[in-house]
Amino acid sequence: MDRSLSQLSKLACCEPGEVSAFWPWSVTRGEEGELRFGNFSASDLLSQFGSPLYVLDEDDFFGRATVWVSAMAESFWEGYGMSGATVSYATKAFASGYAIKLALDAGLSLDTATAGELGLALRAGAVGAQLGLHGNNKSDAELELAISHDVAHIYVDSLEEVERLSHVSARLGKRANVMVRVTTGVHAGGHDFIATAHEDQKFGLSLASGQAEQAARSAAANEHLNFLGLHCHIGSQILSPSAFLESALRLLKLRSVLLESGVEVPELNFGGGYGVRYLPSDPLPLSPAEFAPRLAQTIREYCLSRQESVPHVLIEPGRSIVGPAGVTLYQVGSIKEVPLEDGTTRTYVSVDGGMSDNLRPALYGASYTALLANRVSREPLRLSRVVGKHCESGDIVVRDVALPADLQRGDILAVPVTGAYGSSMASNYNLVPRPAVVGVGAGQVRLHIRRESEEDLWARDLLVSEK
Ligand code: LLP
C-alpha cells in the first residue's frame, strides 16, 4: 500500500549541518547544502568515479565490525569455563579486497560460499585459519582449494559431501576441518526467499529427520576429517532475538545427543541474519551489545544445567556490518507525471541505474528511501517513485518517496543502506556496466572496484571483442 505524502516527508531528512543517525557516520550536509561523505561531496564523487556509484563508509563498516567483535568477546570470553567466540563476516553481502582487509583488521574472520569469494579473501591476505567455506553444491575444485589452504571450517551440506570431503582430503594428504550445517526447523526472516532453516528447502541437513545427526557421526568417525561441530543459519533480515535463541537451543540439544555418545563437538556456529533498518521509520534492529549477552546466557545456562562444556561460538553477520555503511548515488534522468486512475498523478523519476545495481526491490519487494543529495530544496514535496533504466516495469529503486517538486534532470539522489547485497548481486542486465565501489574513510577516498566499461561487457563476446 502506498504511504501518504505526510508520512513519507518525515523520511526526507537533512538540513545543512544536520543528518540523522540513519546515515553512515561520515555523511553530513555541507554548508552549501550538498550531502558529503567525509571530505567529499556527492557531486565530486560522481564526477570522479561516474554514476551510479556505490559509496562505502569505511569507518562505519569498521565500526560496526568492531562492535560485533567486542560484544561477542565480552560475552564469550576465553577461559574460566568459556571457549571464546569468532565473528565471521559473510563476504556474500559485499566483498572487495579493501573491505576484506578492513574486516580482518577489525578482527573478523571471513565466511565464503564459492571459489570466487574464497579466492578473493586469500588474495586479499586472509589465511585458512580465518576462513570458512559454505555452499550446497561445492565443486571438487572448491573443496580442494579450501582443504589445501587449511580452511578453518568447511560446512558440510549433504551426506554425499562427507564422502567427497574424505576423498579429497585423503588425496591431498590433509584433514579437512568440518562442521555440519543443520536445518533446525525454525522459520524466520523477512521474505521467504531469505528464510533458510525451515524444512523443505535446499540448505543443510534436517534435524527432524535425523540426517544432521547421521552426517555429524559419519564426519566424526572419518579418519580424514576433523569434525568440529554444528552450524545453522535461519535466514536474513531478522529483527527479534527469539528465533535465533530457539535455533541455538535446538543445535545445543543435538550437540548433547552427540556428546552423550562420545562424539566431541567443540564448536557451534549460529550463522548470520541480523536485520537492519532500511527506512528511518523501521523498528530499531537488534544491537550486538543486546544480543551477544542473551545468546551467551542461553548457551551457558543450557550447558551448565547439563554439566557440558561451553562450546566455542561462531556467528556470521553480513548485512548488519556492511548494509548501513553503503549508499548508492544516482543521477536523475527523465521525470514524468503519470496519471493514476483516481485522477491524481504519480511522479516517476528515472535514474541511471536500477535493478542491475540493486536487485532487492524487484526480488524481495524491499523498501528503500532516497534523498536529494546535491542541494537542499525549499519546494513542496511530491509523492514520487524512483525507477531504473531497465526494460521492466518492476525495475523500481524506491517505490514511494517524498521528493521536492523542483527535482530536475542532473540532480543526484542518494539511496541509503545499500551496502549489503547491492554490488554483490549486481548484474549486467541490458548490458549496463556495473558501477564502481569507492570507500571513504579517514579523510580519504579510494577506489575499491572500478566501474565496468562497455569494453568489459563486450570482452567475452568472441565476434565483437576481436575486432
Ligand atoms: N551465513 C550464511 C550461511 C548465509 O547463507 C548468509 C546469507 C549469511 C551468513 C549472512 O546473512 P546476513 O547476516 O547478511 O543476513 N540476498 C539476500 C540475502 C540472502 C542471504 C543469503 N545468506 C538479501 O539481499 O537480503
Side-chain angles (χ1 to χ4, degrees), residues 46 49-54 328-331 352-354 357 433 435-436 451:
L46 286 198
F49 300 103
S51 177
L53 181 67
Y54 299 111
T328 308
L329 298 177
Y330 298 96
Q331 217 152 25
D352 49 358
D357 59 75
R451 184 178 167 72

Side-chain angles (χ1 to χ4, degrees), residues 30 139 203:
S139 66
F203 293 111

Side-chain angles (χ1 to χ4, degrees), residues 180-233:
V180 168
R181 178 163 177 170
V182 181
T183 315
T184 55
V186 176
H187 188 107
H191 196 280
D192 257 6
F193 292 178
I194 59 178
T196 52
H198 52 292
E199 302 291 334
D200 195 6
Q201 46 83 24
K202 70 173 185 164
F203 293 111
L205 287 137
S206 100
L207 182 65
S209 70
Q211 282 187 346
E213 183 182 337
Q214 196 187 336
R217 288 191 190 286
S218 116
N222 191 305
E223 57 173 330
H224 301 297
L225 304 180
N226 180 25
F227 174 70
L228 289 171
L230 307 169
H231 169 277
C232 66
H233 169 76

Side-chain angles (χ1 to χ4, degrees), residues 59 80 94 253 321 324 336 456:
D59 297 337
Y80 289 91
F94 172 69
K253 285 182 188 148
I321 291 175
K336 272 190 212 172
D456 288 331

Side-chain angles (χ1 to χ4, degrees), residues 327-445:
V327 174
T328 308
L329 298 177
Y330 298 96
Q331 217 152 25
V332 171
S334 85
I335 300 176
K336 272 190 212 172
E337 289 303 315
V338 176
L340 303 180
E341 273 175 5
D342 65 3
T344 62
T345 59
R346 188 194 304 284
T347 308
Y348 274 78
V349 177
S350 295
V351 294
D352 49 358
M355 63 193 293
S356 57
D357 59 75
N358 188 358
L359 186 59
R360 301 192 72 260
L363 194 57
Y364 315 120
S367 298
Y368 288 84
T369 189
L371 184 70
L372 176 59
N374 53 313
R375 61 190 174 91
V376 170
S377 166
R378 303 270 165 227
E379 290 298 303
L381 297 171
R382 271 188 317 206
L383 184 59
S384 307
R385 180 161 293 171
V386 181
V387 295
K389 62 179 285 161
H390 295 279
C391 305
E392 303 221 9
S393 48
D395 174 27
I396 290 169
V397 177
V398 182
R399 180 166 286 277
D400 296 308
V401 60
L403 289 172
D406 65 345
L407 191 75
Q408 61 197 35
R409 188 178 176 82
D411 274 335
I412 298 172
L413 292 182
V415 176
V417 204
T418 55
Y421 305 107
S423 157
S424 67
M425 296 205 296
S427 77
N428 291 127
Y429 183 36
N430 293 134
L431 289 188
V432 167
R434 285 172 292 183
V437 183
V438 295
V440 291
Q444 310 278 331
V445 59

